[in-house]
Amino acid sequence: MVESRFDKQTECLTIKIRGRFDYSCHKSFKDAFTTLEMAKSYEVDLAEVTYLDSSALGMLLLLRDHVGGEKATISLTKANDAVIDILKIANFHRLFDITG
Amino acid sequence: MEQVLTILVADDNPSDRTLLKAILTQFGHKVITANDGQEAVDKFDPQTIHLVCLDVKMPYKDGWEAALEIQRIAEGVFVPIIFLSGVADPVALSNCLRVGGTDFISKPYSPELITAKLNAIARLLVMQKTLEEQRDAMTLYNEQLLHEQEVAKVVYENITHSNCLNDPSLSTFHHGSHTFNGDVILAAYKPNGGMHLLLGDFTGHGLSAAIGALPLADIFFDWTKKGFLMRQIIPEINARLKSILPTNMFCSAAFIDIKVNDKTIEIWNGGLPDLLFFSKNGDQPKRFNSKNLPLGVLSPDAFECFVDPVSFLPGDILMAFSDGVYEALDLSGDMFCNSALKPLYDGQVESTQALDWLVDLLGQEGVLDNPHDDISCLNVCLDTSIGIGSPEGEITKSVDQAPADFSFEYALNADSLRNTDPLPYILQIITTVPGLSGFSSQVFMILSELYSNALEHGVLQLKSDKKSSLDGFSNYYEEREQALANLKEGYVKICVKVASDHNKRMLVLYVEDSGPGFKVDSISYDISNTELLYNRGLALLNQLCQKVEFSRGGSAVTAYYQWHID
């Protein structure tokens, strides 16, 4: 399940995912960042993500591409150890700010 | 809904039968009559009859028995049955529905009620017919799709398996969750001995995942055959995948370069679970974690290549697997990486049995019956004989008269030494010589030995005795990387000359470097002394060539290679 919230003051778009972050989230995750106008920064809240697969990694790359690739500031926050492990294996800490 | 139906009416009462026939005929339907249950069964044909009306009480076979038999004959074709009954007993009527009847009509007949019921039945039949047509179309479509996938699968497997996976040193396990497997395992002999291996796992599963494997395999085999190094092939694959795959698709992979001459392997891991290196003497396997982003994520200019080198002894084992193993769920719903794989990581599994152990485990935990992801494992039993004396891909009978007398010189300054590997290009030119393509692996071996000697010991002035200990090799390797990155001046000059005399041919390779040279008389050509890791190169040269000569105080060397043509 995907929810998004735009903070007008900080111009930060927060996308929160609950449960399994996999292909079933594809459409709602994409909608979360394409329907809104550009934000200054992006946060993907992973606090309630229990598992994330390679198509979720692909979705994160889509988000990164959408907000400008190398220039994008995207933080992945509140990830549990299992999720951090998966992100680390893919070396995504070189593309995103990841915090537990 | 106007539809002409063929209706079978069975009633032992002649007047009721005639009356119903008259009503139905009046609406334009075609009526076939039967005098009892048995006759109804005999006259029933699911291909021509759309609707059956059965009186409940009939001689020989009553309506219920006839209904059951008719449904058996109909075999899946839906033919509605309506019971005709003079009684209004709820139990008898519900019995009619219980044996498969669609509805019942009470006697005496009311033409209005019959019309209404027939209309309802006609709608039902139309709906049923549409569903059947759709089902048949779907079945046909599905069969076509499967057929097309089978054809595509053959092509796909020919491309991704046109390699040396049968090599005795390799064992693999491949288990797909779909017709197409999004995982690939590729293996190819290098022209100068040794092997390149790649285990890749594309995002997603099935056909969409498999499609990226085609360019991957293409580059892998082509570039390996041409003598390119792992460090050149990986960026090329990355660049190609980046340009053709959608943003959200990539390939997690491990690339392994087995170098038999100096008994080392180099491991590039981008997004796969740790590779495990089981040393024959060690307890726990050494783990090589992912230090790179998967292939196809970074643009070519942002791409970096972090490689781990390791020395091996014959009998050491290297194991790699895709995240289908790492993230598989055991029977208690826990991921493999959390507990099931622990004995493997802790060195409690006999390394020679590791792959079998893993496949058994996947079977026991029910993963193979219901895989959520494609699963691949690769096991390499390391040996110095890998890829040595392997048959050349295709010995081109180039009878077309390419020049048999020519020479060229190739000089590389510090800049070029840092950024390029000239060998594949030189090899390309040399193997156009008639008859020489068949010896390309030997020529490549000589050439790469001469070049790496000139670069590492001449230009970079690295001491080869560092390589004499197994741990020393990785230090040596790091030192080489660093020295090369900081290289400001220096050169390597390669002169190639081919001369012919009747059916005798001679290839002369002269390699000169900017280094200070060395004490030529200190060299040992003794190849039998395999303990000496660092002298093997020269001993090998001496064995392959007619003659090896040093000049300029050891900073230049000439190798003579001779062959005959028919």
Side-chain angles (χ1 to χ4, degrees):
Chain A
M1 207 177 69
V2 180
E3 283 168 27
S4 59
R5 186 167 44 82
F6 183 67
D7 186 325
K8 284 210 172 103
Q9 282 204 316
T10 58
E11 290 183 59
C12 175
L13 176 70
T14 305
I15 305 175
K16 186 174 172 73
I17 300 108
R18 288 177 211 274
R20 287 176 70 87
F21 188 8
D22 58 16
Y23 197 79
S24 64
C25 307
H26 189 84
K27 194 176 175 305
S28 48
F29 186 82
K30 208 173 159 187
D31 287 348
F33 65 83
T34 46
T35 49
L36 261 159
E37 70 230 74
M38 278 300 206
K40 241 187 196 160
S41 61
Y42 292 80
E43 180 190 341
V44 182
D45 183 339
L46 300 172
E48 287 175 48
V49 170
T50 48
Y51 170 75
L52 145 163
D53 72 354
S54 63
S55 55
L57 298 177
M59 284 181 251
L60 292 171
L61 290 177
L62 274 183
L63 169 63
R64 183 172 177 270
D65 199 51
H66 177 76
V67 300
E70 318 280 317
K71 300 184 293 286
T73 349
I74 302 169
S75 45
L76 312 181
T77 60
K78 300 168 201 156
N80 69 31
D81 289 349
V83 168
I84 286 190
D85 187 37
I86 294 168
L87 291 168
K88 267 204 179 141
I89 288 179
N91 274 258
F92 267 38
H93 48 279
R94 284 163 62 191
L95 304 179
F96 301 93
D97 298 323
I98 300 173
T99 51
Chain B
M1 201 167 297
E2 292 297 315
Q3 199 190 16
V4 177
L5 302 175
T6 303
I7 303 169
L8 174 64
V9 173
D11 195 335
D12 59 327
N13 181 326
S15 59
D16 282 350
R17 194 170 63 226
T18 316
L19 178 61
L20 186 57
K21 181 179 178 180
I23 298 172
L24 296 173
T25 317
Q26 205 187 335
F27 296 132
H29 300 300
K30 192 182 164 203
V31 177
I32 298 169
T33 54
N35 297 329
D36 56 61
Q38 186 55 53
E39 197 186 338
V41 171
D42 294 342
K43 285 191 170 170
F44 176 72
D45 175 0
Q47 300 308 320
T48 54
I49 290 172
H50 304 112
L51 172 65
V52 180
C53 299
L54 297 170
D55 186 26
V56 176
K57 289 192 185 110
M58 285 187 291
Y60 304 115
K61 215 161 241 173
D62 66 23
W64 297 328
E65 283 176 294
L68 289 171
E69 221 160 297
I70 282 173
Q71 287 173 77
R72 237 190 326 274
I73 297 168
E75 268 192 332
V77 179
F78 175 66
V79 181
I81 296 172
I82 294 183
F83 284 98
L84 313 167
S85 173
V87 293
D89 173 15
V91 178
L93 292 179
S94 67
N95 229 0
C96 295
L97 299 184
R98 201 169 49 77
V99 297
T102 306
D103 205 345
F104 38 75
I105 298 176
S106 307
K107 296 178 185 179
Y109 297 130
S110 139
E112 289 78 19
L113 192 65
I114 292 177
T115 315
K117 292 210 171 184
L118 277 180
N119 277 341
I121 297 274
R123 275 201 300 277
L124 201 65
L125 283 170
V126 169
M127 204 162 75
Q128 182 69 20
K129 201 163 167 246
T130 313
L131 275 176
E132 275 171 13
E133 279 168 3
Q134 285 175 346
R135 182 200 62 195
D136 292 347
M138 286 278 272
T139 311
L140 189 68
Y141 176 73
N142 199 32
E143 276 170 15
Q144 273 177 356
L145 197 70
L146 281 176
H147 172 72
E148 282 171 10
Q149 286 205 357
E150 285 303 323
V151 173
K153 193 182 173 199
V154 171
V155 176
Y156 172 75
E157 287 183 348
N158 282 342
I159 295 176
T160 54
H161 291 129
S162 59
N163 54 31
C164 58
L165 276 177
N166 314 331
D167 189 279
S169 65
L170 302 179
S171 31
T172 56
F173 180 72
H174 220 37
H175 192 77
S177 53
H178 290 68
T179 310
F180 276 95
N181 195 327
D183 287 0
V184 279
I185 302 179
L186 308 175
Y189 296 121
K190 297 191 288 179
N192 57 335
M195 189 189 276
H196 279 163
L197 285 159
L198 187 144
L199 191 153
D201 174 6
F202 282 88
T203 329
H205 330 289
L207 181 58
S208 64
I211 206 139
L214 298 181
L216 171 78
D218 200 37
I219 299 169
F220 177 85
F221 291 123
D222 196 41
W223 284 48
T224 297
K225 193 172 149 204
K226 287 189 175 146
F228 285 97
L229 306 174
M230 175 170 95
R231 290 164 173 279
Q232 297 167 300
I233 300 175
I234 293 174
E236 175 66 16
I237 293 175
N238 177 68
R240 189 85 67 89
L241 292 183
K242 172 74 181 165
S243 72
I244 61 168
L245 293 181
T247 312
N248 57 338
M249 266 189 74
F250 51 81
C251 178
S252 298
F255 198 122
I256 300 152
D257 180 5
I258 303 174
K259 301 169 156 189
V260 286
N261 286 345
D262 49 12
K263 292 194 210 163
T264 60
I265 46 175
E266 285 186 9
I267 299 169
W268 180 94
N269 183 354
L272 278 194
D274 294 359
L275 274 75
L276 306 177
F277 177 78
F278 297 90
S279 162
K280 257 167 93 181
N281 321 320
D283 303 330
Q284 285 193 358
K286 192 167 175 195
R287 294 165 71 154
F288 292 93
N289 68 329
S290 157
K291 293 186 175 164
N292 300 275
L293 277 149
L295 296 166
V297 175
L298 290 173
S299 59
D301 40 317
F303 188 76
E304 288 171 298
C305 210
F306 295 106
V307 171
D308 285 310
V310 59
S311 303
F312 71 84
L313 290 172
D316 289 348
I317 283 171
L318 183 73
M319 187 178 198
F321 43 78
S322 63
D323 62 7
V325 173
Y326 191 72
E327 291 171 9
L329 298 178
D330 64 19
L331 289 174
S332 62
D334 198 15
M335 277 208 257
F336 261 47
C337 54
N338 290 334
S339 53
L341 293 177
K342 207 168 172 297
L344 191 67
Y345 288 137
D346 288 349
Q348 288 158 13
V349 179
E350 173 63 33
S351 64
T352 51
Q353 306 294 319
L355 185 77
D356 294 336
W357 177 86
L358 190 60
V359 174
D360 284 348
L361 183 70
L362 288 165
Q364 282 160 23
E365 297 293 342
V367 180
L368 299 183
D369 298 330
N370 182 22
H372 296 289
D373 196 355
D374 301 323
I375 288 170
S376 304
C377 318
L378 165 69
N379 216 41
V380 196
C381 184
L382 296 161
D383 197 353
T384 46
S385 63
I386 293 176
I388 298 290
S390 61
E392 296 282 326
E394 68 247 40
I395 296 169
T396 38
K397 292 232 188 286
S398 52
V399 193
D400 48 307
Q401 288 304 305
D405 281 282
F406 69 88
S407 68
F408 64 89
E409 190 178 296
Y410 205 97
L412 296 110
N413 59 16
D415 232 15
S416 311
L417 289 173
R418 263 203 317 274
N419 299 316
T420 52
D421 172 34
L423 301 188
Y425 306 108
I426 296 176
L427 189 71
Q428 285 288 84
I429 300 171
I430 296 179
T431 48
T432 60
V433 177
L436 196 54
S437 61
F439 304 105
S440 65
S441 75
Q442 292 199 353
V443 172
F444 193 85
M445 218 181 280
I446 298 167
L447 197 60
S448 52
E449 207 50 59
L450 292 174
Y451 180 70
S452 61
N453 271 345
L455 178 65
E456 294 174 13
H457 307 318
V459 178
L460 301 178
Q461 295 184 40
L462 299 168
K463 295 277 176 287
S464 61
D465 51 5
K466 281 228 174 83
K467 284 197 274 185
S468 57
S469 80
L470 288 176
D471 289 333
F473 183 79
S474 51
N475 297 337
Y476 176 84
Y477 184 92
E478 267 169 40
E479 224 174 281
R480 179 191 186 278
E481 290 299 286
Q482 209 168 19
L484 194 59
N486 297 330
L487 187 67
K488 293 277 185 304
E489 18 187 71
Y491 69 87
V492 173
K493 196 156 83 179
I494 304 169
C495 301
V496 179
K497 197 175 152 203
V498 173
S500 56
D501 175 20
H502 298 296
N503 62 348
K504 263 204 285 184
R505 296 284 186 274
M506 178 74 88
L507 171 71
V508 185
L509 295 169
Y510 169 84
V511 179
E512 179 188 312
D513 64 65
S514 56
F518 66 104
K519 272 165 69 186
V520 178
D521 51 5
S522 70
I523 307 170
S524 155
Y525 288 125
D526 185 7
I527 197 166
S528 61
N529 185 356
T530 52
E531 294 308 306
L532 282 177
L533 281 173
Y534 56 96
N535 248 344
R536 281 180 61 85
L538 277 178
L540 197 71
L541 273 185
N542 203 43
Q543 215 179 38
L544 289 173
C545 299
Q546 246 60 45
K547 197 163 58 165
V548 180
E549 272 174 5
F550 288 96
S551 52
R552 286 172 44 102
S555 69
V557 56
T558 313
Y560 299 85
Y561 183 79
Q562 199 181 11
W563 78 101
H564 295 265
I565 58 163
D566 311 318

